[in-house]
Amino acid sequence: MKQITKRKMTTGEIRDKFERDDVVERYTNLATGQIAIVDAAVNLEVLTETAKRIVPRARNVLDIGCGAGNYTLKLLSSLPNLNCTLVDLSGKMIKKALERITPVTSGKVLWYQKDIREIELPKNRFDIAMAGAVLHHLRGEEEWNDVFSKVYDSIAPGGCFLISDLITHANQAVEECMWERYEEYIGRIGGPETFSDIEEGIAREDTPRTIAYQLDLLSKVGFKDVDVLHKNILFATFGGVKKG
Ligand SMILES: C[S@@+](CC[C@H](N)C(=O)[O-])C[C@H]1O[C@@H](n2cnc3c(N)ncnc32)[C@H](O)[C@@H]1O
């Protein structure tokens, strides 16, 4: 990742970015996902399909950093009528998610415009917890620990926590190689953002961790069957199960 000395964005600045209409729009395409995310559609598919296989009789889903609702919508297409709990910092993202989700589920839809670090979650409630492209906003170890632990407590026995996110690599040479591959990918898709905009944005906004760090943390807070489901360049999907 580009090394810059500027400070990282505050939570308020991150919220303001995700209140922008052009940013909401970028996260509203269910068929492609956000195209700057390598294999966005594959990650959506793999996360929701594995969630369904792990908890085929799921009733309650938690979508952390729901954005415009892509992960919940995709899940509802194979597990209909779930009760959905949506958490996001951005009111505009939640509004868009509600517009898209409420017509397609007869389940209850609850929403909270809150920081995942601050929200109190019910205990043993959710069959599936999902976090798409959001946990890379967590900063120090304590925040990562607290959020993983809180999500574990909120999941019902037999349920799962599945994460899809930007990741980093432990080895600097590998990290550099992956960034070169990512630059090539961004050039190839020809999306609205240039590689240097994206690189600068990530350096200012995000604090991703390695897959290994997050798998260890999932195990440490109690999850079992911790595994990687998909990985391509700088993006991966992984998670674990809360055993009964
Ligand atoms: C990159 S978007 C991803 C949206 C959606 N999960 C998807 O994959 O399409 C990240 C979302 O997480 C929200 N977010 C960022 N930090 C958050 C936090 N600390 N707590 C709750 N939501 C957060 C943002 O407002 C934004 O809507």
Side-chain angles (χ1 to χ4, degrees):
M1 194 197 312
K2 190 177 187 180
Q3 298 301 317
I4 57 167
T5 49
K6 281 184 230 161
R7 65 168 179 81
K8 290 282 176 183
M9 282 164 78
T10 63
T11 305
E13 288 167 336
I14 291 171
R15 186 197 54 236
D16 291 349
K17 171 191 155 178
F18 287 105
E19 294 287 5
R20 276 173 29 207
D21 291 335
D22 61 314
V23 178
V24 174
E25 208 46 48
R26 225 183 281 158
Y27 285 91
T28 301
N29 189 325
L30 188 60
T32 61
Q34 194 334 16
I35 57 169
I37 294 176
V38 182
D39 283 353
V42 177
N43 285 305
L44 265 169
E45 183 83 39
V46 168
L47 187 151
T48 53
E49 182 60 26
T50 47
K52 175 187 155 186
R53 304 285 180 107
I54 297 167
V55 206
R57 279 197 269 274
R59 296 296 316 131
N60 299 306
V61 61
L62 169 67
D63 191 344
I64 300 164
C66 64
N70 274 355
Y71 275 91
T72 294
L73 275 176
K74 188 74 184 172
L75 187 66
L76 284 167
S77 68
S78 57
L79 280 175
N81 298 324
L82 296 166
N83 299 313
C84 305
T85 299
L86 312 173
V87 178
D88 202 287
L89 282 177
S90 155
K92 282 228 180 103
M93 283 289 194
I94 289 181
K95 184 166 177 279
K96 177 62 82 176
L98 291 171
E99 274 167 29
R100 298 167 83 212
I101 291 166
T102 46
V104 299
T105 182
S106 61
K108 205 183 269 182
V109 182
L110 300 174
W111 58 271
Y112 301 90
Q113 187 183 353
K114 289 239 165 158
D115 188 331
I116 187 57
R117 289 166 290 210
E118 282 162 15
I119 192 170
E120 203 174 311
L121 295 172
K123 305 272 187 250
N124 298 313
R125 166 76 57 85
F126 302 107
D127 303 302
I128 296 168
M130 312 183 284
V134 60
L135 298 180
H136 60 254
H137 291 124
L138 299 177
R139 303 294 190 223
E141 303 269 320
E142 206 179 319
E143 291 185 4
W144 283 88
N145 272 293
D146 289 353
V147 169
F148 275 51
S149 216
K150 174 161 56 179
V151 173
Y152 180 82
D153 291 344
S154 78
I155 292 177
C160 61
F161 179 26
L162 301 180
I163 299 165
S164 188
D165 215 342
L166 172 73
I167 46 108
T168 187
H169 299 84
N171 182 280
Q172 192 52 33
V174 174
E175 179 76 348
E176 279 165 20
C177 170
M178 294 300 161
W179 273 92
E180 279 170 31
R181 295 177 68 81
Y182 187 49
E183 181 168 13
E184 189 273 325
Y185 168 83
I186 293 296
R188 184 154 38 84
I189 60 166
E193 300 168 284
T194 65
F195 174 73
S196 81
D197 290 343
I198 294 173
E199 189 184 30
E200 176 81 17
I202 289 175
R204 286 222 47 221
E205 181 181 332
D206 302 334
T207 40
R209 298 279 178 147
T210 63
I211 299 178
Y213 172 84
Q214 295 180 72
L215 296 183
D216 282 352
L217 191 50
L218 285 168
S219 298
K220 191 177 129 194
V221 302
F223 288 102
K224 309 287 183 211
D225 299 348
V226 163
D227 223 334
V228 178
L229 310 172
H230 185 76
K231 194 258 185 199
N232 194 351
I233 310 184
L234 292 176
F235 299 87
T237 298
F238 48 90
V241 177
K242 180 169 176 176
K243 292 285 168 129

